[in-house]
Amino acid sequence: MFRPTIYALSTKPGRAAIGVIRVLGPHSLYIYNQLTVTKKQPLPQKTSVRKLYEPGTKLLLDEALTVFFKAPKTYTGEDLLELHVHGGTAIVQSVLESIKNLHSPEKGIEIRHAENGEFSHRAFLNGRFDLTEIEGIREMIDAETETQRKAALASLTGDTKKTVTGWRTEIVNNVALLTTVVDFGEEHDLEETRHLFEQVDHNIDVLKSRIQDYLHRVKQSDVLLKGIKVSLLGPVNAGKLSLLNYLANRETAIVSDIAGTTRDVIDVPLDINGYKVVVGDTAGIRSLKDADSIEAEGIRRAKKRALAGDIVLAVVPVNEPIEDSLVENIQLLKDAKQEIVVVLNKSDLTDKVSVSLFSKQLGLPQEAFHVVSCKTGIGMKELQQALTDRFKLVTTSEPVLLTGRTQDLLENDVLFGLEEFKRWKEEDDIILALESLRISAEGIGKITGDAVGVEEILGVVFLSFCIGK
């Protein structure tokens, strides 16, 4: 099957030290020879420094590091050329334009700019990766923290493929068992037929339970992608903004001694020891009679945000008495079984902090309290470690990341087929039960790309890819 040679800038556009241009397809070597003005072929997988010239004019474009990958042992399964040019915008554009001008249909030389995700698309079409591995590549690129990177490796290295293809093998084996009943039913006595049907039913029960457990782990792991929601809660001027700035290691919000500075929820994404965390700073909690209408709305939103988050970070100043409004809000969070960590701030303003007294007043165990000073940094490292330990409890020990497409197929095709099998098994209808299992097998085929109608789902998979990947 003929496919044109494609090219694209694979690094981020704009001024940079290096720009990597990828060329893929049967005319990769032709492009190399034209740009380097040489007939000598490059050694596969060996880097070399070459001067690049504008074809036809011999105008020097750049001196670049070049590397050629020979098919089929490449990322895509086809000849692949990489040009590591200097990252100036003008240099990159001149090299791209020179490649474009080598397109010559009358000579049978088809060269065009790549579409979104087309390099990975070619890798899939050439059998180098299945769709779960391709999606793992995208998740790896999008990973913002260390835990996301590790989770994305499961798909990238083929662990997800191994898991789902194992399920498909089990389904196909059970389809084979039922097929023998349908095709050779007359040769089996009634008791033997019933025994085979019951055996398949048991197998499907076990498989269904495993898939549901797997999806449960996936949904727990979704927090790695979206970020663990941490809500800052506390009275006015407790130091919530100072704590936020310290955790962010930068000034994300204006710190002021004016009461009621924060009027709305401010979400700030952070990386805390490899975990993506979305910290929501909220309006200071105090009696509504002391707040104006805007601040009162902010307090209402603060309470709502705290209830919706994964962890509440209650910031309490140690040099002031605890207000009844804060005690009431802590009680609401306890009733909702919300995870609460209390930060006793401003420890630099007092000689001794009685954790037991605060524990008694708020009705929380002493291990939930951490004495710190946002001003001096005392206790902050210990707080960050304690939060990291809490994050480990919020997420699964072995996170599993799946795209929304894959989750939908597991729920709406694979599990649906297994549930339909159970329904028709109860009706003692072997034919429809068999067809239900085939729906499940085809659903897994759509996940890996090994199914009829796969072209319908390719667009969804590759649409979000960047050009040059």
Side-chain angles (χ1 to χ4, degrees):
M1 177 180 173
F2 171 78
R3 298 191 184 108
T5 298
I6 59 175
Y7 67 94
L9 176 66
S10 288
T11 47
K12 189 175 182 179
R15 185 179 177 184
I18 297 174
V20 179
I21 296 172
R22 273 181 167 175
V23 181
L24 170 70
H27 298 301
S28 297
L29 279 177
Y30 171 77
I31 293 172
Y32 172 85
N33 292 139
Q34 291 298 308
L35 292 178
T36 58
V37 193
T38 178
K39 294 182 179 180
K40 187 178 180 180
Q41 291 195 356
L43 294 174
Q45 297 181 324
K46 298 290 184 181
T47 57
S48 60
V49 177
R50 292 287 183 268
K51 286 183 171 63
L52 304 183
Y53 299 90
E54 183 179 64
T57 68
K58 304 296 176 64
L59 175 68
L60 181 64
L61 300 175
D62 192 23
E63 190 169 26
L65 184 71
T66 66
V67 57
F68 175 71
F69 301 93
K70 182 68 176 175
K73 296 181 179 180
T74 69
Y75 167 73
T76 62
E78 300 178 50
D79 285 352
L80 179 66
L81 171 67
E82 286 189 359
L83 304 173
H84 297 235
V85 302
H86 290 92
T89 302
I91 294 173
V92 171
Q93 288 303 319
S94 66
V95 176
L96 290 173
E97 189 68 20
S98 294
I99 296 173
K100 175 184 176 182
N101 291 336
L102 290 173
H103 172 67
S104 181
E106 62 276 7
K107 295 180 181 180
I109 300 173
E110 296 281 347
I111 301 172
R112 64 167 173 78
H113 197 276
E115 298 175 355
N116 283 36
E118 191 168 3
F119 286 82
S120 296
H121 192 169
R122 290 277 191 92
F124 167 76
L125 293 175
N126 293 328
R128 295 290 292 160
F129 301 98
D130 81 328
L131 286 184
T132 62
E133 293 166 316
I134 289 290
E135 290 175 326
I137 293 170
R138 189 182 66 198
E139 297 293 351
M140 184 67 102
I141 293 171
D142 292 340
E144 298 176 301
T145 65
E146 181 64 10
T147 50
Q148 289 178 340
R149 181 193 67 81
K150 290 179 179 179
L153 276 174
S155 290
L156 178 60
T157 57
D159 288 355
T160 302
K161 175 185 177 181
K162 182 179 178 181
T163 298
V164 298
T165 53
W167 294 339
R168 187 175 188 179
T169 298
E170 291 185 48
I171 294 172
V172 170
N173 289 341
N174 284 286
V175 167
L177 284 175
L178 285 188
T179 301
T180 62
V181 175
V182 174
D183 292 346
F184 307 103
E186 295 180 358
E187 299 177 15
H188 295 284
D189 59 36
L190 186 61
E191 187 62 31
E192 188 177 9
T193 298
R194 188 176 300 279
H195 174 72
L196 283 173
F197 211 173
E198 292 296 334
Q199 181 182 341
V200 173
D201 185 45
H202 171 73
N203 294 343
I204 295 305
D205 278 341
V206 173
L207 178 59
K208 180 181 175 183
S209 178
R210 290 214 312 271
I211 295 175
Q212 288 173 329
D213 289 344
Y214 188 82
L215 275 172
H216 178 68
R217 284 177 56 200
V218 169
K219 292 185 184 302
Q220 283 187 314
S221 301
D222 274 350
V223 72
L224 288 176
L225 285 177
K226 299 173 183 175
I228 301 168
K229 290 185 178 180
V230 176
S231 301
L232 290 179
L233 191 72
V236 295
N237 287 339
K240 297 189 298 298
L241 292 180
S242 297
L243 177 61
L244 176 59
N245 287 338
Y246 191 98
L247 293 174
N249 198 28
R250 65 184 189 276
E251 290 191 7
T252 60
I254 300 172
V255 178
S256 169
D257 58 1
I258 300 175
T261 302
T262 303
R263 299 300 187 96
D264 203 350
V265 177
I266 303 172
D267 283 333
V268 181
L270 306 178
D271 181 346
I272 299 179
N273 290 342
Y275 287 90
K276 181 178 180 180
V277 182
V278 180
V279 180
D281 181 37
T282 60
I285 300 299
R286 61 173 172 171
S287 174
L288 293 178
K289 66 181 182 181
D290 297 324
D292 58 32
S293 59
I294 297 177
E295 186 183 355
E297 174 61 19
I299 294 172
R300 187 189 68 79
R301 293 186 184 187
K303 297 177 182 178
K304 183 178 179 181
R305 174 65 162 79
L307 289 169
D310 298 304
I311 297 175
V312 174
L313 210 54
V315 185
V316 181
V318 297
N319 61 329
E320 297 177 11
I322 293 179
E323 296 183 8
D324 292 341
S325 55
L326 179 62
V327 175
E328 293 171 2
N329 277 279
I330 292 294
Q331 187 58 52
L332 286 174
L333 294 171
K334 287 164 55 181
D335 293 341
K337 301 188 184 302
Q338 187 61 274
E339 187 81 12
I340 305 172
V341 175
V342 182
V343 180
L344 298 176
N345 189 28
K346 302 186 180 182
S347 61
D348 57 294
L349 298 180
T350 183
D351 294 331
K352 186 178 180 181
V353 178
S354 175
V355 174
S356 60
L357 177 61
F358 284 101
S359 173
K360 184 177 180 180
Q361 288 178 304
L362 294 176
L364 293 169
Q366 292 190 32
E367 53 266 27
F369 291 77
H370 299 272
V371 180
V372 307
S373 170
C374 292
K375 183 177 181 180
T376 66
I378 294 174
M380 294 303 292
K381 287 185 178 179
E382 292 78 4
L383 173 63
Q384 286 180 308
Q385 185 55 53
L387 288 176
T388 303
D389 293 338
R390 297 292 180 114
F391 299 156
K392 292 176 182 178
L393 297 176
V394 171
T395 58
T396 56
S397 56
E398 294 183 8
V400 180
L401 299 185
L402 292 180
T403 63
R405 182 191 73 88
T406 301
Q407 290 185 52
D408 287 343
L409 286 170
L410 281 176
E411 293 174 347
N412 301 324
D413 284 47
V414 181
L415 283 180
F416 171 77
L418 299 184
E419 289 164 358
E420 284 294 286
F421 165 82
K422 297 290 293 183
R423 182 164 77 93
W424 293 116
K425 193 271 176 184
E426 293 299 321
E427 297 289 334
D428 210 27
D429 192 324
I430 294 181
I431 300 297
L432 290 179
L434 180 60
E435 286 303 312
S436 298
L437 291 186
R438 285 177 176 153
I439 290 173
S440 293
E442 289 173 0
I444 292 179
K446 292 177 184 178
I447 291 172
T448 61
D450 181 22
V452 177
V454 67
E455 290 295 335
E456 298 175 11
I457 56 176
L458 290 183
V460 177
V461 175
F462 294 104
L463 183 62
S464 61
F465 268 76
C466 58
I467 297 290
K469 188 60 189 172

